[in-house]
Amino acid sequence: MKVTLSLLALSGLFFSGSGYNAIRPNTRRMHDGRKVIGRRAALHTISFGAFLATMAGGAQFSAAEEPDPRNLNAFNTLPFAYRKSEFGGLKASDIEGDSISYADFLKAIDSGEVLFVEFLAPDGDVAFATLKGKEGESPAAPIRIGEGFPVEIHDGWSSPAFAIRTVKEKGIPYKFTVPGLEKYK
């Protein structure tokens, strides 16, 4: 295996301009007859040697790798360090009054039935959608977006920012309201 990799590396060397200079470095003759190698050629020779050592030694480690038995994804690995990735949104039992599920809300967005969305501050965990009324009728009263709606979990991946982004991308008007400030208008 090492021999094959070394031959492959050598053949790649001959097909690249920098490799050719690494094998036959640019030399100059000084006025006293000494041969001197240039800095660029020396750097090419050293970097090519490091490349060959990496190629020849790297094959040993790749054969020893085993599949990871853990269930890793982008939300629970080190780059993001997110936890609580099992959260599936609000439960219907946690919502009082009438509501529309998040899945139905997304379908209504796709069909053009959503006219306006209001998110309650600070995180937008509570949201109300105004849907089109039946033909010839005025729009329906705002209804709470409920089951499955992502709420903010600050050390997890769940966030209403996903819903806000969807509304914004579809061009649907929306606003954030701070509860209790309406009386100060």
Side-chain angles (χ1 to χ4, degrees):
M1 181 87 165
K2 286 184 184 180
V3 175
T4 306
L5 287 176
S6 297
L7 290 175
L8 181 65
L10 281 174
S11 66
L13 174 69
F14 284 113
F15 290 116
S16 68
S18 62
Y20 178 77
N21 289 334
I23 294 267
R24 297 179 181 211
N26 295 333
T27 58
R28 291 182 274 166
R29 288 210 180 261
M30 300 300 285
H31 63 283
D32 60 354
R34 291 180 298 142
K35 280 186 173 182
V36 179
I37 186 171
R39 286 182 291 192
R40 183 176 291 172
L43 181 63
H44 283 229
T45 303
I46 292 168
S47 62
F48 178 68
F51 170 74
L52 280 180
T54 303
M55 289 301 293
Q60 296 172 355
F61 299 109
S62 64
E65 200 172 312
E66 294 180 12
D68 195 343
R70 297 172 295 171
N71 182 19
L72 299 177
N73 59 44
F75 294 120
N76 66 3
T77 54
L78 184 59
F80 295 111
Y82 288 150
R83 298 171 218 13
K84 302 179 183 168
S85 59
E86 67 279 350
F87 182 73
L90 286 175
K91 293 183 178 21
S93 60
D94 296 338
I95 301 162
E96 296 177 16
D98 292 338
S99 67
I100 180 175
S101 73
Y102 186 58
D104 291 341
F105 169 70
L106 294 175
K107 288 177 190 172
I109 285 178
D110 288 337
S111 65
E113 295 177 28
V114 179
L115 299 175
F116 183 76
V117 180
E118 180 180 12
F119 297 96
L120 299 186
D123 294 323
D125 289 345
V126 177
F128 294 91
T130 303
L131 305 175
K132 286 182 180 177
K134 295 179 182 169
E135 243 181 85
E137 294 181 11
S138 61
I143 187 167
R144 169 100 187 256
I145 305 169
E147 182 180 6
F149 186 73
V151 296
E152 187 67 42
I153 297 178
H154 295 284
D155 65 342
W157 65 270
S158 178
S159 174
F162 297 113
I164 297 164
R165 185 176 134 208
T166 302
V167 167
K168 182 178 180 181
E169 285 179 353
K170 295 292 185 175
I172 299 169
Y174 67 97
K175 73 174 181 177
F176 268 82
T177 303
V178 178
L181 288 184
E182 290 291 320
K183 63 182 176 182
Y184 294 107
K185 280 189 173 184

